Amino acid sequence: MGVQGLTTLLDNTPQIYREVRFGRSRLLIDGCNLLHLLYFKSGLDQNRGGQYAAFEDLLEQFVAALTDCSIAPYVVLDGGSDPTDKKLRTVTQRAERRIQKAHQAAAGGTEERLLPLLTKLVFRQTLARLKVPVAQCYGEADQEIAALAIEWQCPVLSNDSDFFIFELPGGLLPLTHFRWEAVEQSGSHRYIPCKSYNTSSFCIFFNIQRQLLPTFAALAGNDYVKLQWMGKFISWAEFAPAGSPAPRHLQGLLYWLKDFEKPHEALKAVLEMMGELNKQQKAEVLESLTLGMDEYELPPSSLKMFFIHGVAPAFPAEEEVAGHVPDWMRLPLTQARLNGAILDVLLLHRVRLGILVDHGDMPSAQLTSRPLRQVMYGLLLGRRKHRVVEERDRDGLQLKYIPVRPIVEGLIQQLARSSLHEAEPSDRLQVLLEALRVTQDSLSRLPPQLRLPVAVTCYWLREAQPPPDETLLKALLLGLTYGDTQRHSAPSQTLQKLFKPKLDMDVVHAFNQWQACLNDTIHLNQLLGCPLPEPQIARLYKGTLVHQLVHMMRTGGRFKGLVKGDRSSARLYQTMLSVVHQLHRQEMSAPTKTQKNETGPQRQPLEDLTPNLKKLFFQCDDEETVTEVKSALRAQEDLYLEQMLSVPTRFRTKERNNRCNNPEISRKEECRGWDVL
């Protein structure tokens, strides 16, 4: 982001910074910048699906350090893409580089600074739980952050070099120099040691006029100005004084700008230096440079009323956003309860899909969840002729825009975008369940917080290619079951430290597909007003743990230490596995009436038999009969679980007999469900 090389220039001239003891103040935080720096600086996993719980812990520590120093944080996030497409070329080039990096990471096991897919969701969920004020902009956040910082006279925390250009009265606190892990104390006040940057110090040091900073950024080339062919006419490095530190092209440009007072004087001189261009070409150069300079002209803040009074900003009228985006979406978008990509669908009919660490020979993991996104497109765009959404995704190692048609069928046809938030909860739930092809009854045996993840797992088991095997399924469900309960336990920590298995690209690809399905289901669930509870990702899924479980299961590892004494979690695992198997078998078989007649007598399912047994239990007063009914119920439940889990009956019978005959065995083998491994 921002002016390339500017951060390096400032690091090579440290006298521009001022050492400060920061505390007792508001602080505006560039959320996307903080997210990336915290994750990458911590050394957390990037290639095995992420360490979301560890990232949540890190974010909690960061917020605690701010609170300890009486710092009031306000986090601002990017939203949708710029509707004018001014940065389309830059954004596309970055996506192409990420595809290459993702392949390199997968093929060589290197870390290429690629965020695991669900990291941003963990970031938002954690800040919401910690009650940190968060605002998601309709577009990019830089201008909104700078505008509010000017009104509040408070500093900005970011590493984005664009903030070196904005004139911020409270200054900029670069994240790389913000030592939040080393809180210090002076008297009764605690503070964070850090460095502060101010444009006045920069201009004094390089002896240029303050009003020329936007001109400097545009001529150096920022996200909006890419003049690759300028080098044919001008080499700014030639103007750098002898002995200037790197980057020399920025040193030379700043030295050249010393002779000018006004921006238009500098632009005129640049055009004269490019004398070989014709009149039209010079006009295009001038327009591009002016556009780049205009990005540093700040409008009044639109977030102040939101942070203080909870009032969402109006949609930008000049971009005709209001005509395409329902008014009811303003508040949930600003609160980050709706994904900013919704604006891309509505305004650009285009969406950028995340690039995951995956081998270039594999198909994109995002293909698996495309039907879920098609449902979301149908809700947002409705039944409009010739309407498609272009999905930016990889095809091999190439970046492509793939036209995808919205799905508008069933209940979706009856739900209008303008009143979607007012639709009956049962209808909104039904749309979600039909997209995942599960039923409400099938999920009723599960705790509310696991219904959406298990429904996603059923969808993944059916749609993923190649189809996940039983080991992958069991490892995933074990991770979902024990990930949170064992979060801080010694066995879990020991397991994660014991080994880091080599990347298995089949495993990586399978779980990439699951994460893509979960990500898109959560976004669809949000759009529908959360008919299913949104799971807390950091407490649900740990990519490294699931990869370790797969490795251990395939190499004959033992798990008893991981779950010893946790009978409730073992039963929860059993329940999830039986629900997934049941739904998968129903989906795969679904016999017709003719097939049912030809197959002869069928075993009566548990859901049909159990009510009859319970009815008998409540109608009977005889103690002996009651005991028999209770035994029948328990036997039927055990039989049902054994059928779902494919456990040999004689092993189950032997185990139950041993439990009855020896209470010590019962005490030692609390985690009965673990035997299904």
Side-chain angles (χ1 to χ4, degrees):
M1 297 293 288
V3 183
Q4 291 186 359
L6 184 52
T7 300
T8 303
L9 173 68
L10 290 166
D11 287 343
N12 290 334
T13 51
Q15 54 268 50
I16 293 176
Y17 291 118
R18 180 170 58 93
E19 294 284 348
V20 297
R21 298 177 171 184
F22 185 67
R24 293 180 295 172
S25 172
R26 282 175 172 163
L27 179 63
L28 279 168
I29 299 177
D30 180 350
C32 293
N33 216 260
L34 174 66
L35 162 67
H36 284 78
L37 184 132
L38 280 183
Y39 198 94
F40 293 139
K41 189 178 178 181
S42 65
L44 297 177
D45 167 74
Q46 300 172 29
N47 297 346
R48 293 172 177 79
Q51 290 178 277
Y52 298 128
F55 177 64
E56 181 189 51
D57 288 342
L58 191 65
L59 190 54
E60 288 176 352
Q61 295 168 28
F62 176 82
V63 173
L66 299 184
T67 303
D68 198 26
C69 299
S70 302
I71 299 169
Y74 294 83
V75 178
V76 185
L77 301 167
D78 292 328
S81 304
D82 187 339
T84 66
D85 274 347
K86 289 179 291 188
K87 287 183 62 174
L88 180 60
R89 184 175 183 178
T90 300
V91 170
T92 300
Q93 290 172 344
R94 287 177 181 159
E96 290 170 343
R97 289 196 295 269
R98 279 198 294 272
I99 290 174
Q100 298 298 324
K101 289 182 177 181
H103 174 72
Q104 291 169 10
T110 58
E111 293 189 338
E112 301 291 340
R113 295 180 66 85
L114 293 168
L115 278 179
L117 184 62
L118 302 173
T119 312
K120 292 181 180 179
L121 185 58
V122 173
F123 186 74
R124 294 172 185 176
Q125 289 182 340
T126 304
L127 291 178
R129 182 172 54 79
L130 297 175
K131 295 181 169 47
V132 174
V134 175
Q136 179 177 250
C137 299
Y138 299 139
E140 289 216 345
D142 291 2
Q143 286 188 327
E144 296 290 348
I145 294 172
L148 185 54
I150 291 172
E151 288 199 32
W152 279 355
Q153 302 282 295
C154 72
V156 170
L157 183 67
S158 176
N159 263 2
D160 191 331
S161 56
D162 275 334
F163 289 106
F164 290 115
I165 307 300
F166 293 119
E167 188 170 7
L168 305 173
L172 171 70
L173 306 180
L175 260 167
T176 49
H177 301 294
F178 192 73
R179 300 191 293 277
W180 62 270
E181 308 100 320
V183 172
E184 297 182 9
Q185 187 163 348
S186 176
S188 60
H189 301 300
R190 297 177 69 80
Y191 63 88
I192 294 176
C194 57
K195 292 182 179 180
S196 176
Y197 164 90
N198 195 285
T199 52
S200 60
S201 299
F202 182 91
C203 293
I204 290 170
F205 183 87
F206 288 106
N207 193 24
I208 69 169
Q209 300 299 315
R210 169 64 191 86
Q211 60 268 24
L212 288 175
L213 278 182
T215 310
F216 160 70
L219 290 173
N222 57 18
D223 285 348
Y224 295 90
V225 183
K226 296 296 179 185
L227 301 176
Q228 291 88 347
W229 39 267
M230 183 181 282
K232 297 179 181 179
F233 305 96
I234 305 173
S235 174
W236 295 119
E238 294 178 0
F239 295 94
S244 296
R248 287 184 57 81
H249 72 286
L250 293 186
Q251 293 274 5
L253 174 56
L254 287 165
Y255 192 81
W256 181 80
L257 283 170
K258 289 165 59 176
D259 296 331
F260 301 96
E261 294 285 335
K262 303 292 183 182
H264 72 272
E265 297 173 356
L267 294 182
K268 182 179 178 181
V270 167
L271 294 178
E272 290 175 356
M273 295 167 70
M274 304 174 75
E276 297 181 20
L277 297 181
N278 59 40
K279 187 175 181 179
Q280 181 180 350
Q281 289 173 325
K282 288 185 177 181
E284 292 174 356
V285 171
L286 183 60
E287 180 182 3
S288 180
L289 290 172
T290 303
L291 177 66
M293 294 166 57
D294 287 346
E295 292 305 315
Y296 301 101
E297 293 292 327
L298 298 178
S301 171
S302 64
L303 293 180
K304 182 177 179 181
M305 291 298 291
F306 170 72
F307 278 130
I308 295 177
H309 300 293
V311 178
F315 289 123
E318 67 273 12
E319 295 168 355
E320 297 183 352
V321 174
H324 299 278
V325 185
D327 191 66
W328 69 265
M329 287 187 178
R330 288 192 300 125
L331 188 58
L333 278 168
T334 309
Q335 293 172 331
R337 291 189 293 109
L338 284 179
N339 184 24
I342 285 175
L343 293 172
D344 289 357
V345 176
L346 291 170
L347 301 178
L348 301 173
H349 304 151
R350 187 171 65 226
V351 67
R352 296 175 291 173
L353 302 181
I355 306 298
L356 298 93
V357 171
D358 218 345
H359 199 283
D361 292 342
M362 299 280 194
S364 168
Q366 300 280 8
L367 292 175
T368 308
S369 57
R370 178 176 289 170
L372 300 173
R373 295 192 298 274
Q374 288 177 280
V375 171
M376 186 169 69
Y377 303 155
L379 290 167
L380 291 171
L381 300 177
R383 188 185 294 277
R384 301 185 184 183
K385 291 183 178 179
H386 312 298
R387 183 57 51 83
V388 298
V389 175
E390 286 189 320
E391 292 189 341
R392 189 201 70 184
D393 196 9
R394 73 170 181 87
D395 183 2
L397 292 177
Q398 301 300 314
L399 183 70
K400 291 191 176 180
Y401 284 91
I402 304 162
V404 176
R405 291 198 172 276
I407 290 178
V408 186
E409 57 187 34
L411 266 176
I412 300 176
Q413 302 175 80
Q414 304 172 28
L415 300 179
R417 177 180 67 193
S418 59
S419 58
L420 183 58
H421 63 301
E422 297 174 341
E424 289 294 327
S426 58
D427 289 343
R428 289 186 271 120
L429 174 61
Q430 192 59 30
V431 169
L432 182 64
L433 296 178
E434 287 180 0
L436 295 167
R437 289 163 64 182
V438 298
T439 63
Q440 188 173 0
D441 288 344
S442 64
L443 303 177
S444 61
R445 296 168 55 198
L446 299 166
Q449 72 274 13
L450 285 176
R451 290 173 186 172
L452 187 146
V454 170
V456 167
T457 303
C458 294
Y459 175 92
W460 166 75
L461 196 62
R462 182 178 64 249
E463 300 292 337
Q465 292 298 326
D469 61 29
E470 190 73 1
T471 299
L472 294 174
L473 173 62
K474 289 182 175 180
L476 173 62
L477 295 181
L478 284 169
L480 300 185
T481 305
Y482 294 99
D484 187 41
T485 58
Q486 299 290 329
R487 181 176 174 185
H488 300 295
S489 68
S492 179
Q493 292 172 7
T494 301
L495 174 63
Q496 295 185 45
K497 292 177 182 178
L498 280 177
F499 66 93
K500 197 172 186 178
K502 183 179 178 181
L503 276 183
D504 184 323
M505 289 320 305
D506 291 333
V507 177
V508 169
H509 185 66
F511 291 137
N512 278 350
Q513 292 179 86
W514 185 84
Q515 286 206 58
C517 294
L518 180 64
N519 187 55
D520 288 326
T521 299
I522 288 176
H523 292 157
L524 177 59
N525 189 51
Q526 290 172 343
L527 180 61
L528 291 166
C530 292
L532 288 179
E534 183 171 301
Q536 292 294 308
I537 302 301
R539 305 177 179 211
L540 178 77
Y541 182 77
K542 295 181 181 67
T544 51
L545 175 61
V546 173
H547 277 254
Q548 289 165 341
L549 289 172
V550 171
H551 178 81
M552 292 177 71
M553 292 169 76
R554 288 179 173 174
T555 57
R558 297 181 63 82
F559 300 86
K560 188 178 295 185
L562 179 66
V563 297
K564 186 176 181 180
D566 193 359
R567 183 171 183 174
S568 62
S569 292
R571 289 192 176 278
L572 180 59
Y573 166 75
Q574 283 183 319
T575 303
M576 285 198 296
L577 190 59
S578 66
V579 168
V580 171
H581 277 162
Q582 181 186 24
L583 282 168
H584 187 58
R585 276 218 291 268
Q586 289 174 353
E587 179 71 27
M588 298 303 292
S589 59
T592 63
K593 289 184 179 180
T594 304
Q595 289 173 327
K596 288 180 180 179
N597 292 334
E598 291 175 352
T599 54
Q602 300 290 320
R603 176 179 288 145
Q604 189 174 5
L606 176 68
E607 51 265 45
D608 293 336
L609 181 58
T610 301
N612 296 332
L613 289 171
K614 289 183 176 179
K615 182 178 179 181
L616 177 61
F617 171 73
F618 286 116
Q619 289 178 347
C620 186
D621 293 327
D622 180 67
E623 183 177 349
E624 183 177 351
T625 305
V626 168
T627 302
E628 291 177 358
V629 172
K630 285 183 177 179
S631 300
L633 277 169
R634 284 195 299 269
Q636 186 65 30
E637 289 171 354
D638 286 341
L639 177 60
Y640 179 69
L641 285 176
E642 288 164 9
Q643 290 170 349
M644 294 298 102
L645 303 177
S646 302
V647 177
T649 304
R650 65 177 180 273
F651 179 82
R652 284 289 189 186
T653 304
K654 180 180 178 181
E655 188 229 5
R656 281 195 294 271
N657 291 337
N658 287 338
R659 283 176 168 274
C660 296
N661 297 331
N662 192 337
E664 183 64 18
I665 292 179
S666 178
R667 184 183 68 80
K668 290 183 177 181
E669 300 294 338
E670 294 262 37
C671 293
R672 182 180 164 195
W674 198 252
D675 299 325
V676 300
L677 292 175

